[in-house]
Amino acid sequence: MLGYAESMSDLSLVVREAVDAIPILDIHTHLYHPSFGMTLWGIDELLTYHYLVAETMRFSDITPETFFAMPKRMQADTVWDALFVRNTPVSEATVGVLTVLSSLGLDPNRRDLTEAREYYDHVNPAEHLERVFALSGVRSLVMTNDPLHPVEAPLWQSAERDPRFHAALRIDPILNWTPDVAAHLHEKGYSVYDPLDHHGLEEVQRFFADWIKTMSPRYMAVSLPPSFDYPEDSIRARILKEAVLPACHAHGLPFAMMIGVRKQVNPRLADAGDSVGLSDMAVVERLCEEFPENKFLLTVLARENQHALCVAARKFANLLPFGCWWFMNNPLLVEETTRMRLEMLGTSFVPQHSDARVLDQLIYKWQHSRRDIATAMTSRYEALERAGRRVEVSEIRADAKRLMHDNAASWIGAPSL
């Protein structure tokens, strides 16, 4: 019989078990269904991910130019030697790799990659996908899908559909308008010219409508710099107001914004060279106020913006905070941010997304995040008990289900558990 958790130690265990039991809807990833042939996986992809590349440059004498000129396998060997052999792998990115190895039954104490490479050389990709889903607890996920990508776009004509893989219509190139984008759309049959006029904006909406029909996305999405402003006298603001948000409203899609990345502060590091900056959450409030019938998803990159995001969400019910993105995806910050959101928003948010670009990252990102989310939840139930309110196990399980799956599913129109 479900009932009251009799002690603080019982409470912590009950919360962790409740969180671990919920199949996860991962609301933002960069993964693809296997039929696309674009998903990264394996030990070499894990080790050469930009998190670890940037860290390697701090511990190695190798130059970025020399590193990127190497074959991927040699790059992985370089990262392994620098971060796992010659130094203690205590960072979140390195511990994440070890969590993956342990979860797959491989020895994280090995000083070489022989065992890991043998595993990945012989594993069946379809079986590995199912194993990763099982080990991570992920039931379904949202991809990132660029209709202007020269490799991905043609695949949608024959892509196999899997109900576990939801689409998201990514529109960065269109909001970051250039003459090349206009030329590309014109080539595809849309009467778009540069500079973009009123008819061109209608054609951009038609482009969105066509791809919404093709992809059946759960939301439209964009990554934005800290300098993002609205309203402003810019082509970006016009496209947002006259094409993007009307299309989202017409098709019942949320608009997801990921704000705060400063691109290429160190271009020598390629993808590892991006950084973070403070954003103005008043911009988001103005959007939510001007477009009350639109639904917004928002994650911000800077720790210093998390409080203002919570305040904005308290004022606007059409705004849903989600996840701890990129530089925020560290245990200290995941727990801190989740506690802040629980304290200010109750359970009306999505605590995490993986942002995974390598399939195997699902394992460590969700194993680690579930632990930190459970710790944050426990702190609030302890506060309830100190206030004299008994916490029922059924309530804890319902809260875990809401946070780990149902909030995201409801907001984007995905199937419920």
Side-chain angles (χ1 to χ4, degrees):
M1 177 177 177
L2 300 181
Y4 171 65
E6 295 294 343
S7 70
M8 291 298 184
S9 60
D10 289 339
L11 178 59
S12 177
L13 179 61
V14 168
V15 175
R16 179 63 191 268
E17 289 177 346
V19 171
D20 286 348
I22 303 300
I24 292 163
L25 168 52
D26 192 338
I27 200 170
H28 171 61
T29 77
H30 293 270
L31 303 175
Y32 299 88
H33 185 270
S35 64
F36 283 77
M38 296 174 65
T39 291
L40 304 175
W41 62 288
I43 188 62
D44 290 345
E45 297 293 353
L46 275 172
L47 289 172
T48 56
Y49 190 61
H50 63 78
Y51 291 179
L52 290 102
V53 170
E55 193 175 335
T56 296
M57 296 302 150
R58 296 189 60 79
F59 286 98
S60 174
D61 293 332
I62 193 170
T63 66
E65 292 76 15
T66 300
F67 179 85
F68 289 120
M70 295 175 175
K72 179 157 289 188
R73 187 183 181 101
M74 189 178 297
Q75 290 179 4
D77 288 336
T78 300
V79 171
W80 181 262
D81 180 64
L83 302 184
F84 295 83
V85 177
R86 292 191 289 111
N87 290 279
T88 308
V90 297
S91 72
E92 177 65 4
T94 54
V95 172
V97 172
L98 299 177
T99 296
V100 172
L101 295 178
S102 296
S103 299
L104 294 173
L106 305 174
D107 184 1
N109 296 295
R110 290 286 296 263
R111 306 291 282 181
D112 60 65
L113 293 171
T114 302
E115 183 185 38
R117 288 207 169 112
E118 286 179 353
Y119 170 83
Y120 283 107
D121 285 345
H122 296 94
V123 72
N124 178 286
E127 292 177 358
H128 183 64
L129 172 67
E130 300 305 324
R131 191 175 185 189
V132 168
F133 269 47
L135 289 170
S136 65
V138 170
R139 183 193 192 196
S140 60
L141 57 82
V142 181
M143 305 178 285
T144 294
N145 305 106
D146 181 356
L148 296 179
H149 192 285
V151 175
E152 179 183 352
L155 298 176
W156 280 97
Q157 304 307 315
S158 58
E160 180 183 340
R161 300 302 174 97
D162 183 327
R164 298 176 299 177
F165 289 79
H166 305 284
L169 181 56
R170 189 71 176 249
I171 60 169
D172 296 49
I174 291 178
L175 273 183
N176 298 313
W177 189 261
T178 65
D180 287 343
V181 173
H184 184 95
L185 292 178
H186 189 78
E187 180 184 327
K188 296 298 181 182
Y190 300 90
S191 299
V192 175
Y193 301 92
D194 190 71
L196 194 62
D197 58 13
H198 179 71
H199 177 67
L201 286 164
E202 291 179 339
E203 286 291 274
V204 170
Q205 277 207 61
R206 184 166 72 89
F207 172 79
F208 290 152
D210 289 345
W211 275 99
I212 289 168
K213 182 178 179 180
T214 297
M215 288 182 180
S216 299
R218 296 298 179 178
Y219 56 79
M220 293 174 67
V222 67
S223 175
L224 294 161
S227 59
F228 171 61
D229 200 3
Y230 183 89
E232 65 177 355
D233 183 17
S234 69
I235 187 61
R236 180 173 63 191
R238 286 191 63 206
I239 295 171
L240 181 61
K241 181 176 182 176
E242 299 179 42
V244 174
L245 293 176
C248 286
H249 183 260
H251 296 276
L253 298 177
F255 181 50
M257 297 179 289
M258 293 162 277
I259 305 177
V261 60
R262 294 167 55 226
K263 293 286 189 180
Q264 297 291 285
V265 299
N266 185 352
R268 295 178 68 199
L269 294 182
D271 288 345
D274 295 345
S275 189
V276 59
L278 290 176
S279 307
D280 184 359
M281 291 298 99
V283 174
V284 176
E285 293 171 338
R286 290 194 287 270
L287 283 168
C288 291
E289 180 184 18
E290 184 172 340
F291 300 93
E293 301 302 317
N294 281 77
K295 294 196 299 184
F296 296 90
L297 282 159
L298 181 63
T299 190
V300 287
L301 195 53
R303 180 188 193 183
E304 295 82 359
N305 280 138
Q306 302 302 328
H307 182 248
L309 169 55
C310 286
V311 173
R314 284 173 63 90
K315 308 308 170 187
F316 295 96
N318 59 335
L319 175 62
L320 184 69
F322 76 100
C324 294
W325 174 39
W326 199 342
F327 301 122
M328 289 294 300
N329 187 34
N330 292 301
L332 170 69
L333 301 182
V334 174
E335 182 183 340
E336 173 188 89
T337 304
T338 304
R339 287 186 63 163
M340 183 191 304
R341 290 171 177 172
L342 287 167
E343 290 170 6
M344 298 184 70
L345 303 173
T347 58
S348 63
F349 63 96
V350 176
Q352 187 58 302
H353 64 271
S354 72
D355 198 32
R357 290 181 183 268
V358 181
L359 175 65
D360 313 81
Q361 290 174 335
L362 290 177
I363 297 173
Y364 94 79
K365 289 195 173 188
W366 280 112
Q367 287 189 13
H368 292 192
S369 290
R370 282 188 304 199
R371 174 196 61 213
D372 303 323
I373 292 165
T375 300
M377 291 172 67
T378 300
S379 73
R380 300 316 302 154
Y381 296 133
E382 290 172 347
L384 278 180
E385 293 202 338
R386 288 192 296 270
R389 166 67 150 81
R390 291 178 56 160
V391 183
E392 300 295 329
V393 175
S394 59
E395 292 178 301
I396 294 171
R397 292 176 179 172
D399 289 344
K401 183 170 178 285
R402 187 176 298 114
L403 288 167
M404 305 307 291
H405 188 279
D406 288 356
N407 286 345
S410 175
W411 203 259
I412 67 174
S416 60
L417 290 176

